[in-house]
Amino acid sequence: VAPPLLLQPLRIRGLRLAWRALQAPLAGYSDRAFRLMCWRYGRPGLLATEMISARAAVEGTRRQEEYMALHPEEGPVQFQLWGTEPDALAEAARICADRGAAAIDLNCGCPVRKVTASGAGVALMRDPPLLGRCVAALRRATDLPVSAKIRLGPEREGWNGAAVARLVEDAGADLLTVHGRHGRERYATPVRVEAVAAIAEAVSLPVIGNGDVRDAASAQALVRRAGVDGVMIGRGCMGDPWVFDRLRAELSGEAWEPPSLAERGRVLLENFRLLIMDMGEDRAVRHVRKLACYYSRGLPGARSFRLSLNRCGTAEAFEESVRTHFHGAAAPGSAGA
Ligand SMILES: Cc1cc2nc3c(=O)[nH]c(=O)nc-3n(C[C@H](O)[C@H](O)[C@H](O)COP(=O)(O)O)c2cc1C
């Protein structure tokens, strides 16, 4: 029997994804330390950067350089650009290609005001012709796979996702990702699978479905009900770099052993040390306090751990707290052994 669709490779232009579960771009999270953890412990079909400002990338700001820096060990990475100027996007795509991008994605879904105020992110869906010109500019600039990540529509009403998807396809994109919410919706609203299906139906390029996927049941339901060619996981990776490994095992019908608390603590510390190397101790400590909350989901004593994070001002204090809460929790039964 054929393996489940999600376990089959997907070819997008010159790029072959080993399987069809992708890591989503997560601004403020999907830095290279985060991606490396996802890769080491889950090997998703494709990784994604944080969103990179096309204009700032062209100007060569230090922050965008950081976003574009790859780790030699990580798997294929999609670089996500945001912006509204076709020329800047094209130039930024060439820079991304230079930095080792495996694919280029255009952000057409970000609802944050700082981004939409300039007409970018999900605001691009209000100007489909411009969105199409942006994709076409990326297409002309690079031979790498080009994609767009859209929502159902920019506003509460009058969703134009299917029309935008057709424009994206006509502009020469190789892949489309659809996040099944509109631009005004927050994550508490369940993803609208039928609306994703209508968009997938409207185009013939491969479509990746996104929203609320956390395990094999939710992934397969999205594939079956929306008719998409793969899935992308966002929040499910936060604090859980094993999510892809678990998904692969579930899809293959294999048993899967969850990491012990001690292992989770160890990986959190591994992630933290990479962050220190990339951003220095002060920024790393501030950042890891957010990240550690996700790693502590389901941890006995999670509350006490989260409270302790407020008092962690140094790398040493943070590491000590992780050792106490994660390793201590793993100890019962082994005490004295
Ligand atoms: C903290 C955070 C940051 C995000 N940043 C981006 C981003 O930079 N670009 C983007 O296209 N989507 C971004 N998203 C949206 C996710 O990529 C994804 O579409 C969304 O979380 C739904 O998938 P999920 O239900 O698996 O989390 C972000 C989401 C979160 C929670």
Side-chain angles (χ1 to χ4, degrees), residues 24-27 29 51 80 107 149 179 187 210-212 233-235:
L26 296 165
Y29 287 92
M51 60 181 197
Q80 191 189 56
N107 181 318
K149 182 163 175 283
H179 173 194
Y187 297 111
N210 167 240
D212 298 343
I233 302 182
R235 288 162 301 157

Side-chain angles (χ1 to χ4, degrees), residues 117-135:
S118 65
V122 77
L124 263 181
M125 292 188 76
R126 287 187 210 132
D127 189 348
L130 176 61
L131 193 157
R133 286 200 300 280
C134 289
V135 174

Side-chain angles (χ1 to χ4, degrees), residues 9-334:
L10 178 65
R11 182 164 282 286
I12 9 172
R13 210 174 181 86
L15 180 67
R16 180 187 180 274
L17 309 187
W19 65 307
R20 298 163 180 233
L22 286 62
Q23 176 234 304
L26 296 165
Y29 287 92
S30 57
D31 50 47
R32 70 172 168 178
F34 180 100
R35 296 194 306 268
L36 190 57
M37 296 301 101
C38 281
W39 183 252
R40 280 187 184 159
Y41 300 103
R43 290 204 153 27
L46 192 59
L47 298 160
T49 61
E50 302 184 59
M51 60 181 197
I52 299 160
S53 155
R55 190 190 284 178
V58 171
E59 286 164 5
T61 68
R62 213 204 277 165
R63 190 52 68 93
Q64 314 305 311
E65 287 298 337
E66 184 182 307
Y67 292 160
M68 291 189 286
L70 296 179
H71 191 284
E73 234 187 85
E74 64 185 317
V77 184
Q78 176 180 56
F79 283 40
Q80 191 189 56
L81 294 171
W82 69 273
T84 59
E85 300 156 297
D87 290 344
L89 285 162
E91 184 54 29
R94 285 188 281 266
I95 297 171
C96 293
D98 236 39
R99 302 291 189 276
I104 309 288
D105 185 55
L106 177 64
N107 181 318
C108 310
C110 180
V112 173
R113 187 178 292 274
K114 194 182 89 181
V115 169
T116 57
S118 65
V122 77
L124 263 181
M125 292 188 76
R126 287 187 210 132
D127 189 348
L130 176 61
L131 193 157
R133 286 200 300 280
C134 289
V135 174
L138 294 173
R139 172 72 298 144
R140 280 193 303 273
T142 179
D143 266 336
L144 292 174
V146 165
S147 59
K149 182 163 175 283
I150 68 170
R151 290 190 178 227
L152 303 178
E155 315 289 348
R156 218 166 279 289
E157 272 146 26
W159 301 340
N160 61 353
V164 166
R166 280 190 292 265
L167 275 174
V168 167
E169 178 164 46
D170 290 345
D174 307 290
L175 183 76
L176 177 76
T177 301
V178 182
H179 173 194
R181 294 187 176 88
H182 64 65
R184 303 277 176 194
E185 243 158 4
R186 296 183 169 270
Y187 297 111
T189 316
V191 87
R192 298 166 193 273
V193 179
E194 281 67 33
V196 177
I199 296 175
E201 183 71 30
V203 287
S204 50
L205 82 180
V207 175
I208 303 295
N210 167 240
D212 298 343
V213 172
R214 286 182 185 268
D215 51 22
S218 48
Q220 285 189 296
L222 188 57
V223 166
R224 199 177 52 246
R225 293 175 51 212
V228 289
D229 304 282
V231 297
M232 179 177 266
I233 302 182
R235 288 162 301 157
C237 323
M238 293 162 75
D240 189 5
W242 299 273
V243 64
F244 295 102
D245 197 50
R246 187 170 64 240
L247 175 59
R248 192 193 292 97
E250 284 174 2
L251 292 168
S252 324
E254 287 164 11
W256 191 77
E257 185 68 32
S260 64
L261 286 179
E263 172 68 358
R264 278 159 60 186
R266 191 192 64 70
V267 172
L268 172 54
L269 292 177
E270 185 180 332
N271 191 330
F272 179 50
R273 290 191 190 123
L274 288 162
L275 285 171
I276 295 180
M277 284 193 282
D278 282 342
M279 49 177 80
E281 179 169 337
D282 287 351
R283 251 180 81 204
V285 168
R286 266 179 280 135
H287 177 64
V288 84
R289 287 151 137 198
K290 286 191 297 173
L291 188 66
C293 289
Y294 293 99
Y295 270 89
S296 74
R297 278 187 295 212
L299 176 82
R303 204 181 126 72
S304 130
F305 175 62
R306 287 174 196 177
L307 285 172
S308 84
L309 291 174
N310 297 326
R311 296 188 300 271
C312 289
T314 63
E316 212 184 328
F318 174 72
E319 296 194 352
E320 183 56 35
S321 180
V322 173
R323 279 194 294 270
T324 306
H325 287 87
F326 285 79
H327 293 199
S334 63

